[in-house]
Amino acid sequence: MLRSPLGSLSAAAFLAGRRGIQEMRGVEMWVERPDPKIPGAVLARGAGWTLWARELEGSFPPYEAILPARGSATGMARVQRKELRDAMKLFSPWLAVRFHLKNGGPAPLTQRTPEEGERATEIPAAHDGPEIAIALCANYVREACEAAEGDEVTVELWDSSHAVVMRE
């Protein structure tokens, strides 16, 4: 039984994305497939507990409805994923980092904190488009870099008031 604010539960459910299920399968506790007729299902057993999970089909939520179409960006910057991730570790994780992107040069990254003043570094970036300064949460950028698998990420930009899209 699980204890919760709603009382005792005999079962619990959670949603796991395709990548999450793949990661779970890599952990030693995932020992069997409960039903070969259910693709993507995995089962874990432990002392006094059993966990069954199934990969969901589809896109949850429908990200395509809110993200701009591929190729519609007014500017793109290509950066080395590990360099960008490591640069984000230099900054306070929940404060904005200002990216100043311009053609033909490195991208200066700055953050101003009340306690420490301004921190700055720069990373090589191949930027194609108008000069633009945007501010992004350091932790979100770091997490996006960690989720990517390739050596390079592309940051798609529209202007400073629109969403930024990071792609592998």
Side-chain angles (χ1 to χ4, degrees):
M1 291 290 215
L2 298 172
R3 301 275 181 231
S4 79
L6 303 174
S8 296
L9 302 172
S10 59
F14 67 94
L15 295 176
R18 176 169 289 132
R19 186 171 176 142
I21 292 289
Q22 290 170 346
E23 292 293 324
M24 287 182 219
R25 285 189 182 125
V27 176
E28 289 182 24
M29 71 176 193
W30 295 93
V31 294
E32 58 185 276
R33 291 179 153 283
D35 187 343
K37 292 181 274 183
I38 303 174
V42 292
L43 179 71
R45 295 185 195 274
W49 60 271
T50 301
L51 177 66
W52 183 85
R54 180 174 68 90
E55 184 178 306
L56 297 175
E57 294 296 322
S59 180
F60 302 95
Y63 296 107
E64 296 80 18
I66 59 171
L67 293 178
R70 220 182 249 275
S72 66
T74 56
M76 293 192 310
R78 288 173 304 287
V79 297
Q80 292 298 307
R81 180 182 64 85
K82 289 180 182 175
E83 285 189 41
L84 181 56
R85 181 202 62 206
D86 292 346
M88 291 301 102
K89 292 178 182 178
L90 301 173
F91 298 107
S92 179
W94 298 110
L95 296 178
V97 173
R98 186 173 183 265
F99 291 70
H100 188 166
L101 300 168
K102 54 189 173 196
N103 287 326
L109 309 174
T110 57
Q111 181 184 68
R112 187 176 305 277
T113 65
E115 301 85 17
E116 299 177 24
E118 187 169 292
R119 294 180 186 171
T121 189
E122 63 182 30
I123 58 170
H127 176 60
D128 177 24
E131 187 170 327
I132 187 169
I134 57 171
L136 301 171
C137 173
N139 199 50
Y140 294 160
V141 174
R142 184 187 52 79
E143 287 179 355
C145 289
E146 288 176 356
E149 295 176 352
D151 292 337
E152 196 173 73
V153 292
T154 300
V155 182
E156 295 180 4
L157 310 159
W158 285 263
D159 60 41
S160 59
S161 65
H162 284 80
V164 171
V165 178
M166 292 181 68
R167 302 185 197 268
E168 293 184 64

